[in-house]
Amino acid sequence: MSERRNHSRVIRSGRGWERRRGRVRVVVTTMVVLMAIVVSGGVAAQAPGPTLDQIASESRDVGAALALTEAYIHAYVQRDVPVLRTFWTGETELADAAFGALGVGVDSLVVQVPRGWAGVEVESLDVLSRFASLGGVTVTNMRLRGAVDLQSTVLHYEVPFTVILRLEDGRVVRHEDYPDYPCLNRQTLAQENGPLPYDLLPRCIG
């Protein structure tokens, strides 16, 4: 009996050691992971930030991109093709939110832009916001006011219009239009009995 009790005690103590050894292994593993996180975090925290010269250079690049965007969009809404040609390359892409790809390259765009704006007159363009993002991308949010000649009648419009450009080396390599077509449709339907003055058109933005 005494030997059996001693034997069971040894077994229990052995199992207890196995459990304790498992817990020790977990604790050690956890400490290693935590140390790795702390060390990697410390390295990331010590990474040098941009210098003043780099910030100044980026600011000049942003300023140049916004100035180019302003000149380009002014020529675009006026369909000033001779000016637009100076911004386009043989690979420039033009796309619209509703109609997809409209053309690629100068030879295509000199035809597609006048065709796309046929019958559309722009009376005013109000820029609501414009900013330059990373990778030479600029975003311009504006409100266009003008008239559309539908041959049978002339309808007024005042709609939000966003243009996203991607620039490289002072040229436009991709141009995306995002007109507020639902707003334009509402204003068109509201004028089915004849054109309305601007202040009576359905409001799309404040």
Side-chain angles (χ1 to χ4, degrees):
M1 290 294 290
S2 174
E3 290 180 0
R4 191 176 296 117
R5 282 197 299 271
N6 290 338
H7 181 66
S8 64
R9 207 177 285 125
V10 169
I11 292 174
R12 285 196 297 272
S13 64
R15 289 173 179 168
W17 162 245
E18 288 297 327
R19 286 195 295 271
R20 286 196 295 274
R21 187 167 63 177
R23 287 196 293 270
V24 169
R25 191 178 297 122
V26 171
V27 170
V28 171
T29 302
T30 303
M31 291 179 64
V32 170
V33 172
L34 288 174
M35 287 295 292
I37 293 174
V38 169
V39 170
S40 62
V43 171
Q46 295 173 7
T51 66
L52 290 177
D53 287 343
Q54 288 173 327
I55 294 174
S57 176
E58 290 174 1
S59 296
R60 287 192 296 271
D61 292 343
V62 166
L66 293 178
L68 185 153
T69 298
E70 181 179 7
Y72 175 83
I73 289 179
H74 178 77
Y76 178 63
V77 298
Q78 298 298 328
R79 285 97 66 197
D80 191 340
V81 172
V83 172
L84 289 172
R85 290 180 68 105
T86 66
F87 291 99
W88 292 332
T89 73
E91 304 298 325
T92 298
E93 301 174 296
L94 175 63
D96 180 271
F99 302 105
L102 300 179
V104 178
V106 177
D107 293 341
S108 173
L109 298 183
V110 295
V111 175
Q112 294 299 332
V113 168
R115 179 183 297 170
W117 286 87
V120 179
E121 294 299 326
V122 178
E123 178 183 306
S124 65
L125 181 161
D126 296 325
V127 174
L128 305 177
S129 66
R130 178 182 287 140
F131 64 90
S133 184
L134 297 176
V137 174
T138 66
V139 180
T140 302
N141 299 303
M142 52 192 172
R143 179 171 50 222
L144 293 184
R145 170 187 278 196
V148 181
D149 186 351
L150 300 179
Q151 296 183 348
S152 60
T153 185
V154 175
L155 303 181
H156 296 130
Y157 68 87
E158 186 176 274
V159 298
F161 195 100
T162 294
V163 175
I164 299 177
L165 304 179
R166 186 159 63 84
L167 312 175
E168 287 183 8
D169 300 324
R171 310 289 285 277
V172 176
V173 295
R174 183 167 176 82
H175 172 153
E176 299 175 9
D177 281 343
Y178 294 90
D180 189 339
Y181 284 118
C183 173
L184 183 59
N185 290 340
R186 289 196 298 274
Q187 293 181 354
T188 300
L189 291 174
Q191 300 177 87
E192 61 180 342
N193 295 321
L196 295 174
Y198 293 115
D199 58 348
L200 294 182
L201 292 174
R203 294 294 91 190
C204 302
I205 56 177

